[in-house]
Amino acid sequence: MKFSLKGKKAFWAAGWLVCCAAAAGAMLWAARAATVGCAQKDLTRVPVAGVVAAANSGSEVQQEKRVFLTFDDGPSKTTEKILDVLKEKGVPATFFVIAAPNNEENMPTIQRAVEEGHQIALHSCSHEYKKIYSSPAAYWADIKQLREKISPYVDVESIHWLRFPGGSTNTVSHRYGGSGIMKSLKAEAEEKGYHYVDWNVCAEDAVGGHPSADTIYNNVIREAKGHDTCVVLMHDTKATKTTAEALPQIIDWFTEQGYRFCKIDELDKQI
């Protein structure tokens, strides 16, 4: 009888653990589902489109070493911390902003970024791949909505740079708009007077599991080595707090290596 009682206790204990694991999994799924912005799996590994490739084309003339710190998917509370670091270090950055419901309360942070000398560029309003990449018309409707939402905080007529969610050579868009949608969007962007930019250094801070500040730092330094022009992709979402923690060390490394910090509107100059 004693053995049977122990068996029952073990059974109920095992059942309780399974339930807890299932509940934790459900909460994690819900948290991920609520996140708006880039997921690492959707990003092109290293797109390096247009002027970034030209800057690293191997010219015999000695290139000036330049780094462009860029942040996608903000503003959020993390953006405030990033701005604090940038102010302390005295370096500029470019923010590719969105205007989804989960970051509406942080939209005034865009004005602070402008006032402190940083560049604002376009990313997406909703950042919903299925919606924005269903057709070129849907994409530009999303951009129009984004411009409207950020207009209280920045002169939208001065914004001529954008970054396509997932990068200009992403394939996730093919699921919704066909294999030719990015080619169409890139051509239309140029017709509308926009410059689009990808990246050649990725912090990989949008992966699941919240990478540590040390991991983010090591990712950036590993990919930056060998490039005279570095366009660094990072994220300033609520979920990427460790990016802000890694940023001082990242800035110090580029400074020590002799890079000049630039905003993205300088990317097509001195090339």
Side-chain angles (χ1 to χ4, degrees):
M1 189 68 176
K2 186 180 291 187
F3 176 82
S4 178
L5 181 58
K6 286 183 177 179
K8 287 181 179 180
K9 287 182 178 180
F11 174 82
W12 287 112
W16 180 80
L17 289 172
V18 170
C19 289
C20 287
M27 287 188 289
L28 179 60
W29 180 89
R32 288 176 177 171
T35 301
V36 176
C38 294
Q40 198 68 37
K41 64 181 178 62
D42 295 325
L43 298 176
T44 305
R45 185 65 186 94
V46 183
V48 197
V51 289
V52 185
N56 289 301
S57 59
S59 170
E60 293 182 4
V61 179
Q62 181 64 41
Q63 296 277 354
E64 178 190 18
K65 296 173 76 173
R66 297 178 296 160
V67 57
F68 301 79
L69 302 178
T70 71
F71 299 90
D72 286 11
D73 301 346
S76 72
K77 289 183 179 179
T78 302
T79 311
E80 293 281 359
K81 296 177 182 178
I82 286 171
L83 287 172
D84 290 343
V85 174
L86 296 171
K87 186 174 183 179
E88 178 184 349
K89 296 291 187 180
V91 300
T94 302
F95 293 87
F96 290 86
V97 300
I98 66 173
N102 69 323
N103 70 334
E104 283 185 354
E105 66 180 34
N106 301 111
M107 296 303 286
T109 306
I110 292 175
Q111 185 171 340
R112 176 190 167 185
V114 172
E115 291 173 350
E116 294 182 1
H118 304 293
Q119 183 177 348
I120 303 300
L122 306 176
H123 195 37
S124 173
C125 188
S126 67
H127 210 297
E128 296 178 17
Y129 291 111
K130 184 177 182 179
K131 178 181 177 181
I132 65 176
Y133 287 141
S134 61
S135 68
Y139 175 82
W140 293 115
D142 178 85
I143 290 295
K144 180 181 179 181
Q145 187 177 16
L146 174 62
R147 288 169 59 92
E148 291 171 354
K149 288 196 173 185
I150 67 175
S151 61
Y153 313 106
V154 61
D155 176 15
V156 293
E157 297 304 320
S158 68
I159 299 178
H160 303 292
W161 285 84
L162 60 82
R163 173 176 281 156
F164 296 109
S168 68
T169 57
N170 79 79
T171 56
V172 66
S173 58
H174 299 178
R175 305 174 199 167
Y176 314 113
S179 60
I181 185 155
M182 294 312 303
K183 181 178 181 180
S184 297
L185 287 176
K186 287 184 282 188
E188 291 180 12
E190 294 177 359
E191 291 171 3
K192 294 176 182 292
Y194 286 111
H195 305 287
Y196 62 89
V197 62
D198 292 319
W199 58 90
N200 62 352
V201 177
C202 184
E204 298 182 28
D205 55 350
V207 299
H210 304 294
S212 68
D214 284 343
T215 297
I216 292 169
Y217 167 80
N218 289 329
N219 290 341
V220 170
I221 303 318
R222 181 188 67 248
E223 296 199 359
K225 289 179 179 178
H227 293 301
D228 289 329
T229 298
C230 293
V231 179
V232 185
L233 171 63
M234 295 174 280
H235 296 83
D236 58 325
T237 69
K238 182 180 179 180
T240 56
K241 296 176 183 177
T242 50
T243 300
E245 296 172 10
L247 187 57
Q249 194 177 2
I250 290 171
I251 291 173
D252 288 346
W253 185 86
F254 279 109
T255 301
E256 291 165 3
Q257 299 302 312
Y259 285 83
R260 181 168 66 89
F261 293 85
C262 307
K263 293 181 286 188
I264 213 70
D265 59 6
E266 293 186 60
L267 188 56
D268 57 350
K269 300 175 183 177
Q270 304 174 3
I271 295 177

